[in-house]
Amino acid sequence: MVSKRRLSKSEDKESLTEDASNARKPPLSKKTKKSHVHNEVDENNNVFIKLLKTSGIILKTGENQNQLAVDQIVFQKKLFQTLRKHPSYPGIIEEFVSGLESYIEDQDSFRNCLLSCERLQDEEASMGTSYSKSLIKLLLGIDILQPAIIKTLFEKLPEFLFERVNSDGISMPRLIISQLKWLDRVVDGKDLTTKIMQLISIAPVYLQHDFITSLPEILGDSQHADVGKELSDLLTENTPLTVPILDVLSSLRLDPKLLSKVRQLMISKLSSVRLDDLPVIIKFILHSVTATDALEVISELREKLDLQHCILPSRLHASQSKMKNKGRTSSSGNQENNGQDCVFLLFDVIKSAVRYEKTISEAWIKAIERTAPMSEHKIFDLTMLLIIYSTNTQTKKCIERVLRNKIRSGCFQEELLQSTFYIHYFEVISALVTHICSGNEAEVDIALDVLLELAVLNLSAMRMNAVFVKGILDYLDKMSPRQIRKLFYILSTLAFSNQHEGSNHIQDDMHLVVRKQLSSTIFKYKLIGIIGAVTMAGIMAADRSRSSSLTQGKADLSNEQYTQVTSLLQLVHSCSEQSPRASALYYDEFANLIQGGKLAPKALEWVGQTIFNDFQDAFVVDLHVVPEGEYPFPVKALYGLEEYSGVDGIAINLLPLLFYQDFATDVGRMTSQESDHKLVSPLCLPPYFRLLRLCVARQHNGNLEEIDGLLDCPIFLTDLEPGEKLESMSVKERSFMCSLIYLTLNWFREIVNAFCCQMSPEMKGKVLTRLKHIVELQKILEKYLAVTPDYVPPLATFELETVDVIPQTSTAVSAKIRKQGTIGGRKRKAGGNKTSSYDTFSKEDGSECDPTPSDRGHLEKESKKKEEKTVSLQNYAFFRELDMEVFSILHCGLVTKFILDSEMHTKATEVVQLQAPELLFLLEDLSYKVENMLTPSVARRVPFLKSKGNQNIGFSHLHQRSAQEIARCIVQLMTPMCNHLENIHNYFQCLAAENHGMVDGPGMQVQEYHLMSSCYQRILQIFHGLFAWSGFFQPENHNLLYLALEVLTNRLKQREPDQPLEELLSQSFHYLQNFHCSVPSFQSALYLLRLLMVILEKSTAPAQKKEKIASLARQFLCRLWPNGEKEKSSIPNDQLHALLGIYLEHTDSVLKAIEEIAGVGVPELINSSKDASSSTFPTLTRQTFVIFFRVMMGELEKTVKTIQAGTAADSQQIHEEKLLYWNMAVRDFSILINLIKVFDSRPVLHICLKYGRLFVEAFLKQCMPLLDFSFRKHREDVLSLLETFQLDTRLLHHLCGHSKIHQDTKLTKHVPLLKKILELLVCRVKAMLILNNCREAFWLGNLKNRDLQGEEIISQNSQESAANESEDDTSSQVSKSKAVENGDDDEASDGEKDSDESDDD
């Protein structure tokens, strides 16, 4: 039996039935046909049989097909003509039909008449199709017979309604109805409609379905309205027929009101319909939607349709349980599959609708977006957003915005996501695995994070799909170390947590991969093995004493587990000990594991005993035993913090180890026969110590007394200060000294990491001393690097797959870069404030983007006098990473250091304070961390297909924390940073007072000034990075934002509990703006403004504060900033561009501000000396004019675009206000455009061409409609406006000629578009005059090509036609006497420019 839920048309059923009837009778040969003559029906004077035979049809008895001797069309023509010409016509019709009725009394004969005829003629002779119609179908094609035949069929059909299908599979009712389909013409459609609707009302349900779906193929268009009304009535009475009725209604041409009524009925029944019917109902609803009612319908559909109703979780869960129970019958499984098929079909319908109907997708997005925050969102909302996002690429940005806003407002919460995907684990995991294997770094990162979250939330469900996750092991070579670490954590969690019976195969595969990678001699693959093995060991040896969602079991490891962990770690150690980089990576990975606090006590104890002894043997020696050997430099114990007496002192054996690594290669590497222990690479010293101190801290609850001797102990080095011997050293010796300093620096950095959190005042003082040593050593290192080109430092970050990961920065110094005084990379230490990627916004003009800060003029002067070559250190790959805990040192004000005598009694006290160089060192490092973790990705976007891995070099420990944790740490550091900021503010205030308002007076200490200025800038930069963090928009971080704002607010007044957010924002804004008077550098001023803007963005009433930002920006533009001697400009172009843009964006009148700068500041500049600046705007110089010009032109064009075009419905006052505004805008444009006569450099001309065209285009679109309605009442004003604008457009035309004469491609590419818009402007002005009945005022002349100075450009064409051309001055004059008549002469001149384009070609 054919399914009643079939969505397609039912025509296929009848054709299949007919084919089946044909198939049961094999084709007959011609001989066979002749042998069946005796099966013919006898005529017996029956008119019906006789006429048929005469026309070409021979009726057969039994199961034999009726035979058609002629073509079907020929038969119909013959029979029609025979009947029409018969003497008894029209009585012959009744007699013929009576004969038919008598003949079909026999059921076999009736069936033969309904089945196709057999054709006797050859296929080649047939002029029609090879398909033969049935006898009844042929008779229905004759108009004079059709009504009677239809009546006969409907009288005969009820006999078969309740009979079963024949043994041959033929259903007589369906066969009868099929005769009525696709008739060439229906003689009486209304009667046929009445009959078939009556038949439907009495037929059984299964036939009703077929009869209804056949209606579109039977009825003509004229009957659609009547049928639609009857079907809609039937829909309310008979629910089982919903699917076929809706299917038919979708195919009929119906009145929109009727469709709307049916649609409303269906929406109201959605909650009670069967799942099987839902796809057709939704399809009908969506297909009947129009643009006007789309939003209303979708909103109602969204309310009524619940995805949980569609998916039926209980059924799917039952299905899952049945899959596990193999003893179930297959029928239940088929039912479950049928339900799932309906769900798939439903979403296919929805996807098709939103893909091809833009109105539906847009309405659905609006319906979700307009849902009130207080109302509960459904699973269907999130599902629809994802469907539209995947099917319609044009709405992706809109969907992302809606999702972002819903998440920030708390409408989409974690419960909604879990409810949406909780039964789709397989699909979700498969999709995530696909993304991970794609190779796209962003996709891999996000997919791994989601997979990790799933492993935490639902480990059992993840285990069921572990085989898919395990397949990612084949793509390890395409992953970064962070990604490898995440993947092995996920797989280890699946394999080793709670020892599941099905996880053994994962364990085996992981062990196989790890052993294979560890045995590789290529570092890239060994890195994979080390990270994977350590991560596995961490899960295997997890601390089970804590209640964990992942692991439950005994408090410590069993002996078997302990053996597995130790053997795995020993394997890693043995495979990496031959490679210093591999060993260092192993120590770092192990340290990270211990820092996470996940190692069981038994494993931790084994690790502690092993590494403590090994570290002492490898790196620690007795202080009184000075190493002996043929070292290139005398060995000394330096940087000790205590005076040791006796033989109990220790030292770090650094120089000898480095010597045996670098210098002993000539006599055999690492061949110290006198040494009684194995020599270890000094590269491993910092990571090994990090592992040691973390292990000790974990075992002793943070107490490091067991190893505090390492904080005091000296290092075996040599005199590091180069002095005069620097130039005499060989390249190898200088490289040796550089490596020695790098290793010493990294040792001190790890020492500071280790002891920064110790509470003892004595230890705090020593940590500050080590910090001071770091700063001093970096200054020394810069001197060595300046004379050691192409030196590659020892790595301090070992996650790099190859050294080629950092090709542009692996060389610390190159000859070319040395000349510029800087080196590429990310990090800059001591000796100035480095402009990072976050500080610089564009680097288009190399001459203006010197990384040397603007406030280093005097320092540069001093350094030139000393003729010292120094470079700065910028690459994190060569320095050990500072932990976030180090910045607790910022809390230090005055720290007392106790100096003890030999009897451990206090002998004296010394005050140790955090000085400016050390403060700057910490602030710089913290600012880079804030930039890396909290800065929006858009602000530091990496070019397409470029790896962003280099951005994360040196931040591996930082990335083990979330952005929320980092933000909380910064908030906790805000109080000490505010203290430092206020102290620096007071310093500059006092400095200005001492120098009578000049911060760079003659008595200023240059080095101190620059250090304080850099600290000032870094604090503002950190604050800006914190408050610009997008995470503050998330509801869970609102409290953190309150805490940060309270810190700033409490600096002004006593703390008041429960202050509203607006009050906190206002007070914070007020506190920060107070620093504007002491800002020491232009870059700090820019950061202060951006910080205020970020705080202002979080306010709901920013209007008042916006004016304050504009006022501050203007003050900074009008301030005279310190200049370096003989420098063209002390302010980087990008920073000036940004600050000037902020001023114009926030000022209450952009046009007045532009007029002030262009009308006051620029003339002052023109009348000043060559190297001077504008007196009103000291930042405006001849070098910075192009920046001012670009920003003013851009903001002017942006401003006029926002003015709405005038309409006739606007009031007179609105017309006058807009006309006044446009007068001011054109006046500003005129002032700016005429400046090219003085400043005619190529960048200025390029800006003029680009923004000039955009301004004219805005004038055309926004101003001309206004002039249409203002011309009659304000004719003089309009004429004045056009006259001024005419002069400007004429100058633009001269600029086009200038560009072509000089053949500057950068300029000429703008000329065609500009001339086109000028031509359009002329036509538009002419249309405006015609509208106002002043067509005679428009005239057009020829405009000669001239250069910027007004001189005529002579070309061959212009020389030939000189006699026929009118003078430009004559044609362009607009006299006041004729202003009333031809007030648009000025615009005609614009047309002249275009009419004379041929002169340029």
Side-chain angles (χ1 to χ4, degrees), residues 1245 1290-1303 1308 1311 1315 1343-1362 1365 1367-1368 1393 1396-1401:
L1245 299 182
R1290 178 181 298 176
L1291 189 55
L1292 287 176
H1293 177 72
H1294 294 167
L1295 180 55
C1296 293
H1298 171 86
S1299 303
K1300 286 191 174 182
I1301 288 298
H1302 288 79
Q1303 297 182 350
T1308 53
V1311 170
K1315 287 198 171 186
L1343 186 65
K1344 292 183 178 180
N1345 293 309
R1346 299 180 184 273
D1347 59 18
L1348 296 181
Q1349 307 305 324
E1351 298 295 333
E1352 183 178 352
I1353 299 174
I1354 305 299
S1355 64
Q1356 182 178 354
N1357 292 338
S1358 62
Q1359 290 175 353
E1360 293 174 355
S1361 59
E1365 289 183 354
E1367 284 297 319
D1368 174 48
K1393 301 168 190 165
D1396 198 36
E1397 283 184 31
S1398 59
D1399 292 352
D1400 293 308
D1401 298 332

Side-chain angles (χ1 to χ4, degrees), residues 767-837:
V767 168
L768 287 177
T769 305
R770 288 303 189 202
L771 204 58
K772 184 179 179 181
H773 291 159
I774 291 174
V775 176
E776 293 173 352
L777 280 171
Q778 289 187 154
K779 292 180 180 179
I780 297 174
L781 179 60
E782 288 176 351
K783 298 176 182 178
Y784 277 101
L785 291 177
V787 295
T788 315
D790 302 323
Y791 165 72
V792 179
L795 285 175
T797 300
F798 304 99
E799 286 186 346
L800 307 178
E801 294 178 1
T802 63
V803 182
D804 298 334
V805 172
I806 46 170
Q808 72 276 16
T809 58
S810 61
T811 302
V813 156
S814 68
K816 177 182 177 181
I817 296 176
R818 235 184 1 210
K819 294 178 182 178
Q820 299 175 350
T822 185
I823 54 176
R826 292 182 51 88
K827 185 169 183 182
R828 181 182 189 141
K829 297 293 176 186
N833 59 345
K834 178 246 176 185
T835 302
S836 69
S837 60

Side-chain angles (χ1 to χ4, degrees), residues 1279 1336-1339 1374-1375 1378-1386:
L1279 293 177
E1336 66 278 1
F1338 184 83
W1339 60 273
V1374 180
S1375 64
K1378 295 182 64 180
V1380 175
E1381 293 290 339
N1382 51 353
D1384 195 47
D1385 299 357
D1386 31 62

Side-chain angles (χ1 to χ4, degrees), residues 1159-1257:
V1160 178
V1162 176
E1164 291 176 353
L1165 176 64
I1166 295 174
N1167 297 327
S1168 64
S1169 61
K1170 181 179 179 181
D1171 296 328
S1173 61
S1174 166
S1175 56
T1176 305
F1177 297 93
T1179 51
L1180 176 57
T1181 65
R1182 281 174 168 77
Q1183 288 74 38
T1184 61
F1185 170 79
V1186 64
I1187 304 300
F1188 274 82
F1189 190 72
R1190 179 189 295 121
V1191 175
M1192 288 189 292
M1193 288 289 286
E1195 288 297 325
L1196 177 62
E1197 182 264 337
K1198 187 190 301 182
T1199 301
V1200 296
K1201 271 188 174 181
T1202 61
I1203 307 174
Q1204 294 296 325
T1207 61
D1210 292 340
S1211 64
Q1212 186 65 28
Q1213 182 181 357
I1214 294 178
H1215 283 170
E1216 292 175 356
E1217 290 176 356
K1218 289 185 176 181
L1219 189 59
L1220 177 62
Y1221 198 91
W1222 270 106
N1223 268 294
M1224 295 176 60
V1226 171
R1227 184 169 68 249
D1228 286 352
F1229 182 71
S1230 182
I1231 295 172
L1232 291 172
I1233 208 75
N1234 278 280
L1235 292 177
I1236 65 173
K1237 297 178 180 179
V1238 180
F1239 301 94
D1240 58 353
S1241 64
R1242 182 170 176 262
V1244 173
L1245 299 182
H1246 178 264
I1247 294 166
C1248 193
L1249 283 170
K1250 176 182 177 181
Y1251 290 102
R1253 176 181 64 83
L1254 295 175
F1255 185 88
V1256 175
E1257 186 176 333

Side-chain angles (χ1 to χ4, degrees), residues 1297-1328:
H1298 171 86
S1299 303
K1300 286 191 174 182
I1301 288 298
H1302 288 79
Q1303 297 182 350
D1304 190 326
T1305 55
K1306 187 176 182 181
L1307 299 180
T1308 53
K1309 69 178 182 180
H1310 293 282
V1311 170
L1313 291 175
L1314 178 56
K1315 287 198 171 186
K1316 179 181 179 181
I1317 202 69
L1318 291 175
E1319 182 178 352
L1320 291 174
L1321 181 61
V1322 172
C1323 298
R1324 184 63 180 83
V1325 170
K1326 182 177 180 180
M1328 186 266 290

Side-chain angles (χ1 to χ4, degrees), residues 302-303 370-378 381 406 411:
R302 177 195 160 276
E303 291 292 332
R370 290 170 56 177
T371 303
M374 301 304 295
S375 62
E376 183 179 355
H377 277 275
K378 299 181 178 182
D381 293 336
K406 291 294 182 182
C411 297

